[in-house]
Amino acid sequence: TTTSQKFMTDADVIFSPPPKSLAERVSQGLGWLTRGRQTDDRAERLLYFFTAIEALLSNDDKTAPVTQTIARHAAVMLTNDNHNRSEIAAEIKALYAFRSALVHAGSRSVSGSVANRTQNIAEALYMTALEKADLKSSHETFNNSLAKASYGSTWP
């Protein structure tokens, strides 16, 4: 795998990403995924994995609700079936509620299944980005493509 041309090209752009590119966000997010995998504390794992998800899917639009944007964009990346998109988005919103309770209220009661499910989603998002997205494109272009597809069209 590591000797394939695609792997080497992706690795080069991830380790030396153009400014404001998708590769820059992927590079940041992969670091958070690594941190999440290294800790045993479930609350910390949840925070690290959601930080990775936010690194990939958050945008500079401060008027858009973060939870809604992340949930919709993640659902677009994970399926082209609109019915399943709404179910995935709802699950991500429910998981994000645990993250919000932890960050805003200090609630550290995170179950292993919540931390594990968040990890699974984060890893699936990064695998999808690496397989389907143009890492050299701007992060804004990537986000705009997800936003457009969130109204029912296919992605990518």
Side-chain angles (χ1 to χ4, degrees):
T1 300
T2 60
T3 59
S4 76
Q5 185 59 46
K6 177 170 176 22
F7 181 90
M8 290 187 288
T9 301
D10 287 351
D12 285 344
V13 75
I14 289 168
F15 283 106
S16 297
K20 298 187 179 193
S21 66
L22 176 58
E24 184 176 56
R25 294 294 192 99
V26 168
S27 178
Q28 293 166 354
L30 290 174
W32 290 112
L33 285 177
T34 299
R35 295 280 308 265
R37 290 184 193 117
Q38 290 173 342
T39 187
D40 291 327
D41 183 274
R42 293 183 305 265
E44 287 180 25
R45 290 180 63 227
L46 180 77
L47 288 177
Y48 290 139
F49 293 130
F50 263 114
T51 302
I53 292 169
E54 289 184 41
L56 183 63
L57 298 178
S58 65
N59 58 40
D60 295 332
D61 181 1
K62 301 305 177 204
T63 63
V66 174
T67 309
Q68 181 71 12
T69 300
I70 288 170
R72 287 177 69 104
H73 290 186
V76 164
M77 288 183 71
L78 297 175
T79 185
N80 278 318
D81 181 294
N82 287 322
H83 177 71
N84 288 345
R85 280 182 180 171
S86 65
E87 291 175 355
I88 291 168
E91 180 182 17
I92 291 170
K93 287 179 196 175
L95 292 168
Y96 201 86
F98 286 98
R99 176 249 177 234
S100 294
L102 176 59
V103 170
H104 301 295
S107 174
R108 297 187 52 82
S109 59
V110 175
S111 70
S113 63
V114 166
N116 290 341
R117 184 62 184 137
T118 305
Q119 178 179 356
N120 291 340
I121 290 170
E123 289 174 349
L125 290 169
Y126 277 84
M127 288 300 298
T128 301
L130 290 169
E131 290 170 6
K132 295 183 178 181
D134 178 6
L135 297 176
K136 295 176 188 169
S137 70
S138 74
H139 185 253
E140 181 180 11
T141 299
F142 171 71
N143 263 316
N144 289 343
S145 74
L146 293 173
K148 183 177 178 182
S150 75
Y151 290 99
S153 61
T154 59
W155 182 88

